[in-house]
Amino acid sequence: MVSPKLNKMAYGGDYSPEQWPEEIMTEDMRMFKLAGIDIATVAVFSWSLMQPDEETYQFEWLDEIMDKLHENGVYACLATSTGAHPAWMATRYPDVLRVDFEGRKHTFGQRHNSCPNSPTYRLHAARLARKLAERYKDHPALAIWHVNNEYGGICYCDNCAKAFRVWLQERYGTLDKLNKAWNTRFWGHTFYDWDEIVPPNILSEHSAETRTSFQGISLDYQRFNSDGLLDCYLLEYNELKAATPDIPVTTNMMFMFKQLDYAKWAQYVDVVSWDSYPSNETPLSHVAMWHDVMRGLKDGQPFMLMEQTPSQQNWQPYNGLKRPGVMRLWSYQAVAHGADTVMFFQLRRSIGACEKYHGAVIEHVGHEHTRVFRECAALGSELQELGDKLLGSRIHAKVAMIIDWDNWWAMEFSSGPTIDLSYMNELAKFYDAFYGQNIAVDMVSVEADLTGYDVVIAPVLYMVKPGFARKIEQFVERGGRFVTTFFSGIVNENDLVTLGGYPGELRKLLGIWVEETDALFPHMVNRIVMAEGRELEGFKKKYTCNLLCDLLHVEGAEVWAEYGDEFYRGMPVVTCNAYGQGEAWYLASSPDGEFLADFVKLLAKQAGLESVLSAPPGVEATKRVKDGKSYTMVLNHNDMEAYVELGSSTHKDLLSGQLISGNIQIAAKGVWILEEA
Amino acid sequence: MVSPKLNKMAYGGDYSPEQWPEEIMTEDMRMFKLAGIDIATVAVFSWSLMQPDEETYQFEWLDEIMDKLHENGVYACLATSTGAHPAWMATRYPDVLRVDFEGRKHTFGQRHNSCPNSPTYRLHAARLARKLAERYKDHPALAIWHVNNEYGGICYCDNCAKAFRVWLQERYGTLDKLNKAWNTRFWGHTFYDWDEIVPPNILSEHSAETRTSFQGISLDYQRFNSDGLLDCYLLEYNELKAATPDIPVTTNMMFMFKQLDYAKWAQYVDVVSWDSYPSNETPLSHVAMWHDVMRGLKDGQPFMLMEQTPSQQNWQPYNGLKRPGVMRLWSYQAVAHGADTVMFFQLRRSIGACEKYHGAVIEHVGHEHTRVFRECAALGSELQELGDKLLGSRIHAKVAMIIDWDNWWAMEFSSGPTIDLSYMNELAKFYDAFYGQNIAVDMVSVEADLTGYDVVIAPVLYMVKPGFARKIEQFVERGGRFVTTFFSGIVNENDLVTLGGYPGELRKLLGIWVEETDALFPHMVNRIVMAEGRELEGFKKKYTCNLLCDLLHVEGAEVWAEYGDEFYRGMPVVTCNAYGQGEAWYLASSPDGEFLADFVKLLAKQAGLESVLSAPPGVEATKRVKDGKSYTMVLNHNDMEAYVELGSSTHKDLLSGQLISGNIQIAAKGVWILEEA
Amino acid sequence: MVSPKLNKMAYGGDYSPEQWPEEIMTEDMRMFKLAGIDIATVAVFSWSLMQPDEETYQFEWLDEIMDKLHENGVYACLATSTGAHPAWMATRYPDVLRVDFEGRKHTFGQRHNSCPNSPTYRLHAARLARKLAERYKDHPALAIWHVNNEYGGICYCDNCAKAFRVWLQERYGTLDKLNKAWNTRFWGHTFYDWDEIVPPNILSEHSAETRTSFQGISLDYQRFNSDGLLDCYLLEYNELKAATPDIPVTTNMMFMFKQLDYAKWAQYVDVVSWDSYPSNETPLSHVAMWHDVMRGLKDGQPFMLMEQTPSQQNWQPYNGLKRPGVMRLWSYQAVAHGADTVMFFQLRRSIGACEKYHGAVIEHVGHEHTRVFRECAALGSELQELGDKLLGSRIHAKVAMIIDWDNWWAMEFSSGPTIDLSYMNELAKFYDAFYGQNIAVDMVSVEADLTGYDVVIAPVLYMVKPGFARKIEQFVERGGRFVTTFFSGIVNENDLVTLGGYPGELRKLLGIWVEETDALFPHMVNRIVMAEGRELEGFKKKYTCNLLCDLLHVEGAEVWAEYGDEFYRGMPVVTCNAYGQGEAWYLASSPDGEFLADFVKLLAKQAGLESVLSAPPGVEATKRVKDGKSYTMVLNHNDMEAYVELGSSTHKDLLSGQLISGNIQIAAKGVWILEEA
């Protein structure tokens, strides 16, 4: 459960009554009741109010808020306010200020602005967390701790440089090992003293954010920065847990956020939470995938949907409104993928500064007679009806897809073969093929236990970390199906190439040797020509592919398809290698969606993967299971009603209370939660 | 009159004989006579020549120029040369150098390069103005003072930071008021000491020039910077007026220039002047609109066309030549909108540095046998013929369009709902609709007296300043017609949202409530579907709109049109509210040009607005009036001749001297000035 | 000859065994033999290894490499390693670090990173060169010295500012002359003290890299920077020559590299060398032109192809593979234009840092059984067969095209008339027309002796340096044909306009006066309408032109074509002026390729220019001559075979050993070297 105090799907969101006159909060409480809101994230950005100067702390205002929340049956997701330091701290202790990628020391402004290696910041952030923990540890409203907010950003200041050297000493021990790991004899960059190492930015190794001369140092700086912010988090975490060991602690994560190794971070949060901000043009499967990433971070444990907008955002280029029903639909999409809360940014719109045009449950008009409020209240009511039914339920997937932040960083720092390679794009293409067939996928790290899975997909597994190749071999030996692609098996954890022929450590398993890799200009495609007889397996004759084309030779693998164009026409583009009880597939180029759809169908057939529901395009279905009961969630993302075949048995839709079966219509933007014993 | 000494439309421009050997000026005088040139703007950038070091001033060279001008019947528009500080000043007193938006301290170079809050700059600029005033106060050539040049740019140095704090103290009095005005409890930005406030740039609140976390501080910095440059101007102005109370003082303004609040500046210039540099692809109505802005700055008082190019510019990406006749045509367009001078940059082309490929009356070839010179001389001759006929004449418009710099700044600092919102685009769309029907428009500030107008247009009046809503209500009560649009009435002068429902203070007048605002992606449009029977008012059935779509409810207003698409299909998009004797219109989205053309026709019919001339597209007409006589100016911007219906009465064209009437042909690029008693 | 030690076309490339375990070099030697590799460029980036601290030098590792190379019959192109300073030097002596165009002091990273005016860098670079020269002067493997690597980049630090002032004092003597040369009275930039002059960058005169307020200072800074790096080169050169007067010295140049005045540099290298990195979409003629530029730098002396990739690059956006046969074809293209070596970057791929995905003779797989290695070995074998046949042979061209770096810099610093003007584009358009007809062209500097040529082409000769106009007049007087274009003859060597009518010093020769220049928007074209009867000369009736259109009047020249559009329709666009025994052509706009093809045919006919071979499109042919023998190289760049007419005489193809004649087929990507007595 998200928190021992929350016995239903918590519903609420970010709330800043300290920005308002006192009477407003009374009105808010009235409206929260109308909307069924029972959780409020408070004190997200209130450091300057909590600590007006170095020696003074004032919490009376927060006491009042906490008390009033409690009086009104609203729990607090209590934030620590360390996501933005006070102005006085910036003036008095400039070490809290970041130096950016361009080497510019910042002054005061924005948020997420503190240097993670600032002694001042660390001291005061931990102290504030301790004060809060001590003051509110027994407060009945306190349901969960929310450390900081959307950690991120990178600093390149002198304190960071020093801390980086310490981090490197811990990692490498000796300069000799570091020089080897970074291959510093290239361009004569050998370091003879730790102090010669400077942060990699535009003033040193970089010519742009992802263009570096030395991948080794740049990759390590990403790790160091992720670890540095994690250290800041842990300072607060430890203070909070010392006072309130039973109150769960989280920090909110972000969509496709590259900077932080969430797989590592997740080990240190009690519950995962994240902020979901798709635009109206974001593919639905991308959001679904990221929900699954969040669920995967702690082995399937339900997560919190910490933030979403009730209507529109403000910070995108074009902030379209969520269409009627979409807020509800996307809320349930989160639940369908494992969320156990539905929360918003924000409960009431501020009147000034940069988020005043961000949607809110209570808009500037201030009353409940708005489309947005009505939709929020309707959902609140449904969630109250649902009670604890789905709470803690799990999703059982037989497909695992690997996501690895080191791989992401390393691949996109690579100089060559193409600037268009995007790890997220490639993951999303594969994910989308499973999503389109309503086959559940777990997004897991390279550390994950793979024994429960039938299929493991690792698109563009450029970096193979120690032990992973052996683990995946064992997985296949035992009958698993493994799929990987072009530009895989190239480097080790230090971005040093594995010699002896690509795909390096995966070569034996895949039964191929990749001799060369061609990069295609954006206007170019090649063709995937299926081998004779593959129609019987459900394939068309031809598909397209682009981006990169590996030129490979089979070493035992079976050729399923060949290139149709270029001088490597006739060379294999899809291969499958029998290995032990299982099979290992290789896709030598980036195929089109049609190919992937057909390929997933084949995998499903071969591995006996179950589709939750066979449904028309745009109708998504997942299954959460708890205490022997299963809850099939069906979501119609289309603008039109759709027909779904439920079969002859009767299902109870928890939302409408109706019993349904057979070939039945689901409304446009409609949602069912079908309970089955 | 522009200057008591100028009894005809002054004709000339920027002139820098100090860049040339002495004999050249003699030749210039000869050519000026051929061209009818009688005014020269001198000493625009000569500070380093006037003051070669801190203690030395040398004006003998300028004496010679002034004398020679006088001898040749040419008046001086005498500049103060403070638009670019000398190199020695930069080396000796680095406080004159600016720090840019990126936080970089500049060294020496370019122009308009002085920090407005530099003590050195202020001291020396005022001293130089005093020296000039004392030396030339009785010079017979002196017709007008030209302070500095094209004021602009922003500085973020420490002196500016200090001055900003002083400016804020004057504005807000207490930090408490400032914190409220900027809503600093958002993101915990509360200031407890004035010294904690730093200039808003890329190192603090901004992530890009128009992307800020705190609109309040960014908006105030725009005001502060505009005021700071105005202070610099006033230092010089006061020195000049002390010595020569009767010589008018100006400084040249720029096209659609956002940085300076010209409405405020205009209070401190004796005559408005501006530099008109359209490219060959700038819409004609944009230039016309800006002429009207300039005329409106001092309540219709004629302005100076201080600069235009005789042929081509150099600083645009593609500097096409003005086609034959276009220089004359555009000169008269300026006159047609209220200019009482026709002046060029530049009279002679320099041989080195960045403006050597900018057009000039005297080109590098150095003689008069060029197309450009011939066109200039022909125009000069015409202007001599015209004498003082039009001088001081006025334009009488019944339509006022609001332009407000604070509104401009605030709207474009807004984070959301769309990055495509441009105040100038929206103004220009409306202006163009009137322009297309030759209906005169005054461009006025929110401070303007509106009593003389029948129609007031305020596109995107996002910010409603204190008292304005009441003023516009009174205007409508008395029978006026008011038109405003989407995203209006949102904030007060501090960019704080007016609570209780959009459009805030304008809600009662407009009889509507805007519940939400949808932002459209660039590839999207919606449709304006006119209500039944509107064909009778001259409307088509359907138009398009885009950018933003307000979702509104009428509260008394009549619905003229509904949206045709999206979930808000059927909601009002054009409404009209009867209020007192008048009507208040609301356009809830940004309509296409066709709609606006038909809408302006309706307004014209309803309000009895007069078209100066009913003419084919591309034929512009305005009317200037003086001493009971009216001068109708007709300009054919087309590449083909056009037929114009003048009616049965006979008109005298002052340019050709001919009497014309009936349906008559105007030449391609032709101009008439029709005098009528 | 490239080096007295090299008696065949040297074959090899960059080689860094110091990045590898010792045993790898043994394997490399085996594979070098298989590939026919006999030269290795070593120690390109090994400063940190050679000099681990300020007092210590260690060369033992290099001794071993040199010895092993020698033992294996491989010569060394021995680099001085000064292209990247050691990290310890950056930490200890920050004066070696550059300040960039944005004014940012860099820390440590990348390469080509040393300030050219750093005392530390100069001291240590020269000392290192001396040490190397002393140690290896008698080493039998040493064939050629390779100073630094790909010199380039610009520094704007205080040391550079000081050095710039010294450079300016040498150039101008007095500030008065400098002020005149830079026309500093414009915008009042007069300098009264040398110390007032600061480097022109974003903090001073520039608003972007090619946008400057003062062309004079910006142009001089380009010259100063080119000279400063040349001084660095010369420090090393002098040390090397002092020890080894007979070993040639080079430094590798780059493709269309604007920063360094290679014409000036070439005077100080013993042999020219360059690095050729076309992408798969670079036009073939651009590469051919640059080969010819390289050959022209030292009056036709053969040059070294120092680097090319065997397969693909890594630093381009899309790094496509060289198609089969293309590496061989492009290697011979270099030879066909005067190269006497064929060398690669790199012989073995590194495993870490930013060039690990750059092609190599020995790829990561590490063995010889790759397509790339096989192609390399086949070429190596051919080159061994060829022996010294072509070595030292020359190309005899009757057409010279002027390339001038000062002109390049000045033209592209120009503010106006269009941002789209690119010197290289205009050169390449003309070059391509000759290339398409297999007419040899020498690319020569303005200093070149033109007496041997029949035709001289000088596209966009914006800057006319002292004496050049007279030289070209004499060339034409004696019967030469001269061709120049729009925007020529405008300025002198200081970028000051030549008064009295464009094209200034070329006006008399060309018999025209350019009155104005129109700049076309990118979507615009004009038409070239040929005068009556020009069909007889092989012209079509009409062509197109764009970019800039000069409006000119003939002053004796004959009009060959007129503009077909715009108000200057009917004005001349192509003129030819009889002058002495010769003719001077003027192309007043930038014509399409069709026009240039027909124009070149006319020139060829008139001047009796010889096509090496009349061949289908895509079949290139050049002729190298030595000791009375000629070698016609024929290269089929097409993907299909082509038929070539060799005539009745019999030719021996040195590559196949076959005798061929008549109308005969050349394979796709095929190459012939036809020897004729």
Side-chain angles (χ1 to χ4, degrees), chain C residues 253-258 260-264 266 269 272-274 285-304 334 337-339 395 399-405 408 423-424 427-428 431 441-445 453:
Chain C
M253 298 177 174
M254 290 181 282
F255 183 58
M256 292 194 181
F257 191 66
K258 187 177 171 184
L260 302 187
D261 182 350
Y262 284 156
K264 188 168 184 181
V269 299
V272 169
S273 65
W274 84 288
S285 64
H286 289 204
V287 184
M289 179 176 88
W290 209 252
H291 283 310
D292 288 354
V293 168
M294 290 293 124
R295 188 184 74 242
L297 288 178
K298 289 192 85 71
D299 296 321
Q301 180 184 309
F303 58 90
M304 300 175 72
H337 287 269
I395 286 165
V399 178
M401 192 179 299
I402 303 291
I403 177 171
D404 183 58
W405 270 260
W408 192 356
Y423 188 40
M424 283 304 112
L427 286 188
Y431 183 91
V441 174
D442 280 350
M443 303 294 297
V444 304
S445 83
Y453 296 105

Side-chain angles (χ1 to χ4, degrees), chain B residues 3-276:
Chain B
S3 162
K5 294 192 182 174
L6 303 175
N7 54 15
K8 68 171 268 293
M9 208 150 279
Y11 187 56
D14 277 48
Y15 183 47
S16 304
E18 74 278 14
Q19 291 179 22
W20 295 87
E22 229 182 294
E23 62 276 18
I24 291 290
M25 193 170 173
T26 306
E27 174 66 0
D28 290 338
M29 292 303 112
R30 182 184 73 81
M31 290 179 71
F32 284 7
K33 280 201 184 70
L34 291 178
I37 283 170
D38 47 25
I39 193 163
T41 306
V42 291
V44 178
F45 289 112
S46 308
W47 197 343
S48 67
L49 197 55
M50 290 175 178
Q51 192 184 2
D53 64 48
E54 191 167 359
E55 300 311 327
T56 312
Y57 288 86
Q58 57 188 20
F59 294 109
E60 295 72 15
W61 63 273
L62 185 55
D63 295 347
E64 278 182 46
I65 291 171
M66 291 291 283
D67 292 349
K68 208 152 189 173
L69 289 177
H70 179 59
E71 286 160 25
N72 287 278
V74 179
Y75 281 104
C77 173
L78 182 52
T80 61
S81 273
T82 56
H85 52 244
W88 62 259
M89 197 179 286
T91 307
R92 193 158 180 177
Y93 300 108
D95 68 283
V96 303
L97 297 166
R98 287 185 181 166
V99 168
D100 66 18
F101 179 76
E102 313 275 333
R104 301 175 299 206
K105 179 78 173 176
H106 281 231
T107 57
F108 174 73
Q110 301 186 55
R111 57 174 178 168
H112 314 141
N113 49 5
S114 309
C115 167
N117 291 296
S118 155
T120 302
Y121 175 72
R122 291 192 166 204
L123 173 76
H124 282 289
R127 205 165 89 176
L128 184 60
R130 185 164 63 247
K131 298 257 182 203
L132 283 164
E134 283 164 4
R135 191 168 191 104
Y136 297 106
K137 64 182 172 189
D138 299 322
H139 198 288
L142 177 66
I144 187 161
W145 289 108
H146 176 297
V147 174
N148 202 284
N149 183 66
E150 293 181 346
Y151 275 105
I154 308 188
C155 179
Y156 298 88
C157 76
D158 289 344
N159 277 332
C160 286
K162 284 175 196 151
F164 184 42
R165 291 172 200 133
V166 171
W167 185 93
L168 290 169
Q169 285 168 22
E170 281 170 17
R171 182 175 177 85
Y172 294 108
T174 67
L175 274 173
D176 191 48
K177 282 186 185 154
L178 175 145
N179 279 316
K180 283 212 176 69
W182 292 356
N183 199 38
T184 55
R185 288 218 172 167
F186 177 79
W187 287 2
H189 278 214
T190 308
F191 296 105
Y192 295 104
D193 189 311
W194 294 97
D195 285 346
E196 290 162 19
I197 300 170
V198 293
N201 65 5
I202 201 77
L203 305 180
S204 53
E205 295 294 7
H206 281 252
S207 57
E209 295 244 356
T210 57
R211 297 289 274 189
T212 175
S213 295
F214 275 78
Q215 282 68 27
I217 187 172
S218 297
L219 178 58
D220 275 343
Y221 207 78
Q222 293 296 314
R223 290 166 170 154
F224 158 74
N225 184 67
S226 176
D227 285 358
L229 287 168
L230 180 55
D231 285 345
C232 291
Y233 166 82
L234 282 171
L235 283 174
E236 296 193 39
Y237 179 88
N238 291 332
E239 296 289 354
L240 299 174
K241 294 308 272 192
T244 59
D246 300 330
I247 300 293
V249 180
T250 191
T251 185
N252 49 344
M253 297 176 173
M254 290 181 282
F255 183 60
M256 292 195 181
F257 190 67
K258 187 177 171 184
Q259 276 178 355
L260 302 187
D261 182 350
Y262 283 156
K264 187 168 185 182
W265 277 64
Q267 301 166 31
Y268 305 97
V269 300
D270 296 327
V271 56
V272 168
S273 64
W274 84 287
D275 302 345
S276 177

Side-chain angles (χ1 to χ4, degrees), chain A residues 62-191:
Chain A
L62 185 54
D63 295 347
E64 278 182 44
I65 292 171
M66 292 290 284
D67 293 350
K68 208 151 189 174
L69 289 176
H70 179 60
E71 287 161 23
N72 287 278
V74 178
Y75 282 104
C77 173
L78 181 52
T80 61
S81 272
T82 56
H85 51 244
W88 63 258
M89 197 180 287
T91 307
R92 193 157 180 178
Y93 301 107
D95 68 283
V96 302
L97 298 167
R98 288 185 182 167
V99 167
D100 67 19
F101 180 75
E102 313 274 333
R104 301 174 300 205
K105 179 78 173 176
H106 280 230
T107 57
F108 174 74
Q110 303 184 55
R111 58 174 179 167
H112 313 141
N113 48 5
S114 309
C115 167
N117 291 296
S118 155
T120 302
Y121 175 72
R122 291 191 167 206
L123 173 77
H124 282 288
R127 204 165 89 175
L128 184 61
R130 185 165 62 249
K131 298 257 181 202
L132 283 164
E134 282 164 4
R135 190 169 192 105
Y136 298 106
K137 64 184 172 189
D138 299 320
H139 197 287
L142 177 65
I144 188 160
W145 289 108
H146 176 297
V147 174
N148 202 285
N149 183 66
E150 293 182 346
Y151 275 105
I154 308 188
C155 179
Y156 299 87
C157 76
D158 289 344
N159 277 332
C160 286
K162 284 175 197 152
F164 184 42
R165 291 174 201 132
V166 171
W167 185 94
L168 291 169
Q169 284 169 24
E170 282 170 18
R171 182 175 177 86
Y172 294 106
T174 67
L175 274 173
D176 191 48
K177 283 186 184 154
L178 175 145
N179 279 316
K180 282 212 177 71
W182 292 356
N183 199 38
T184 55
R185 288 218 172 165
F186 177 78
W187 287 3
H189 278 215
T190 308
F191 296 106

Side-chain angles (χ1 to χ4, degrees), chain B residues 301-372:
Chain B
Q301 179 184 310
F303 59 89
M304 298 176 73
L305 177 61
M306 180 65 89
E307 296 183 18
Q308 65 171 340
T309 180
S311 54
Q312 73 196 137
Q313 289 134 61
N314 70 289
W315 48 267
Q316 300 222 19
Y318 307 99
N319 299 280
L321 295 168
K322 282 186 177 169
R323 273 42 195 153
V326 167
M327 182 277 294
R328 173 177 179 262
L329 179 70
W330 291 2
S331 296
Y332 283 121
Q333 189 191 31
V335 173
H337 286 270
D340 266 7
T341 71
V342 174
M343 294 165 72
F344 298 108
F345 182 84
Q346 49 192 340
L347 297 186
R348 181 181 271 273
R349 271 198 199 203
S350 58
I351 62 165
C354 73
E355 292 183 337
K356 61 182 176 293
Y357 302 120
H358 193 289
V361 174
I362 305 174
E363 307 233 33
H364 287 139
V365 70
H367 59 55
E368 62 267 38
H369 307 297
T370 65
R371 177 183 76 95
V372 169

Side-chain angles (χ1 to χ4, degrees), chain A residues 482-486 503 506-514 528-531 534 539 550-563 570-578 583-589 595 599 602-603 606:
Chain A
F482 175 64
V483 182
T484 189
T485 73
F486 62 94
L506 304 174
R507 186 171 169 187
K508 188 178 64 166
L509 171 63
L510 294 162
I512 57 166
W513 165 46
V514 172
I528 296 171
V529 180
M530 299 306 298
R534 298 308 178 191
F539 284 100
D550 282 343
L551 279 58
L552 67 81
H553 308 274
V554 289
E555 298 178 328
E558 184 182 8
V559 177
W560 278 64
E562 301 172 348
Y563 288 109
M571 287 186 88
V573 59
V574 179
T575 65
C576 180
N577 195 41
E583 289 177 341
W585 290 87
Y586 192 76
L587 276 51
S589 183
F595 174 85
F599 178 65
L602 175 73
L603 281 179
Q606 290 184 336

